Amino acid sequence: MWGVSIVAYKQRRRIVVSIYDAKLLYRVVELLRSFGLVFQGLYPGVDACNRGILIADKEGLEYAQQICKDIRMNILRLDSSTIEGTVFKAVILSMLENDKIHTLIAGIDYGKSIGVALLADGAVVYVGKFRLEDEALNTLSQFFKSVEASKKIVRIGIPSTIISKSFESFIEKLNLAMPSDAIIELVPEVRSNKPSILLFNDRISDEDISAALNIALRSGSNT
């Protein structure tokens, strides 16, 4: 399902899981592990009610309310139809200090493989590389549809060679996959694979992902 590589950046807030439904729990744990996130369960006597992010189904939330005098976590409710969206939202929020996001920006380096970088208010919260277009589009769609932000921008680098029909087709699919409040911009790819001094991290040596990061940082023209 996922691309070649998934890198989550520094997790700033812990994730607590309180899910009664075994199938939901298995899927949530599977997704959280695929992103390399640290999470824990909710048990009596464990100091886990005052900070972090709580992922819970209906029964799990009732349980949390029973053992916690005062829940001071960001509560993310889920059911069988919102698993991916809830986890994707938890991924971004766990990388940030607060719950409100002003600007969510994605950078896309299109080619034989597709590099993706996601920034929330200037912080890199996710990077990935995909072999298949549908995988990249599904991941971006989940992030942008599940996270509230005042401004949502998707920037895709224009190939330096003659624009192919496959690139045009990808743009059409991108427009369909993104929510209506997302702005899609085309960005020239000149020197886009040169690492950014401020954001380039030594965990990222892949040129496609490096290019996606730099594309995310550059303004472009609307499609």
Side-chain angles (χ1 to χ4, degrees):
M1 175 180 177
W2 302 111
V4 176
S5 61
I6 294 177
V7 177
Y9 274 69
K10 184 178 181 181
Q11 186 174 342
R12 298 179 182 276
R13 291 190 287 176
R14 65 178 171 177
I15 295 175
V16 179
V17 177
S18 180
I19 299 175
Y20 180 82
D21 187 295
K23 291 183 178 179
L24 293 183
L25 177 60
Y26 177 83
R27 182 61 179 145
V28 168
V29 168
E30 182 181 46
L31 285 171
L32 290 173
R33 285 176 175 168
S34 74
F35 282 104
L37 294 174
V38 176
F39 58 94
Q40 66 183 78
L42 187 61
Y43 310 101
V46 176
D47 180 22
C49 302
N50 297 324
R51 59 187 178 86
I53 299 161
L54 174 65
I55 300 177
D57 58 4
K58 180 181 177 181
E59 293 80 7
L61 181 57
E62 291 174 351
Y63 172 73
Q65 292 169 336
Q66 290 175 5
I67 68 171
C68 297
K69 293 181 179 179
D70 184 17
I71 301 178
R72 297 182 180 179
M73 293 182 285
N74 185 326
I75 300 173
L76 302 182
R77 287 281 302 272
L78 88 161
D79 55 38
S80 59
S81 66
T82 61
I83 299 173
E84 283 77 14
T86 301
V87 173
F88 276 61
K89 185 174 183 178
V91 170
I92 292 184
L93 292 180
S94 70
M95 303 293 161
L96 304 174
E97 300 269 338
N98 52 67
D99 297 328
K100 292 185 178 181
I101 299 173
H102 177 66
T103 305
L104 185 67
I105 299 177
I108 304 174
D109 180 58
Y110 181 82
K112 292 182 179 179
S113 57
I114 301 171
V116 172
L118 191 65
L119 287 74
D121 290 338
V124 180
V125 293
Y126 168 85
V127 296
K129 183 175 178 179
F130 302 85
R131 295 190 183 94
L132 301 178
E133 291 183 2
D134 288 347
E135 290 181 346
L137 291 169
N138 178 65
T139 298
L140 285 172
S141 176
Q142 289 286 0
F143 274 124
F144 274 77
K145 289 180 178 178
S146 61
V147 176
E148 297 83 18
S150 301
K151 184 183 296 184
K152 298 179 180 180
I153 304 172
V154 181
R155 292 171 176 157
I156 178 168
I158 303 173
S160 55
T161 55
I162 297 175
I163 297 177
S164 64
K165 289 186 177 180
S166 61
F167 179 74
E168 293 177 346
S169 174
F170 182 79
I171 294 296
E172 291 179 3
K173 292 179 182 179
L174 182 63
N175 274 289
L176 292 174
M178 290 299 104
S180 60
D181 59 343
I183 299 170
I184 298 178
E185 296 181 352
L186 298 178
V187 178
E189 274 196 12
V190 179
R191 294 191 298 275
S192 63
N193 64 346
K194 182 179 180 181
S196 164
I197 295 174
L198 294 177
L199 288 179
F200 189 75
N201 188 289
D202 60 7
R203 285 179 293 177
I204 299 176
S205 58
D206 186 278
E207 289 186 359
D208 294 325
I209 293 176
S210 175
L213 276 170
N214 284 275
I215 289 169
L217 294 172
R218 302 177 63 188
S219 296
S221 57
N222 294 358
T223 59

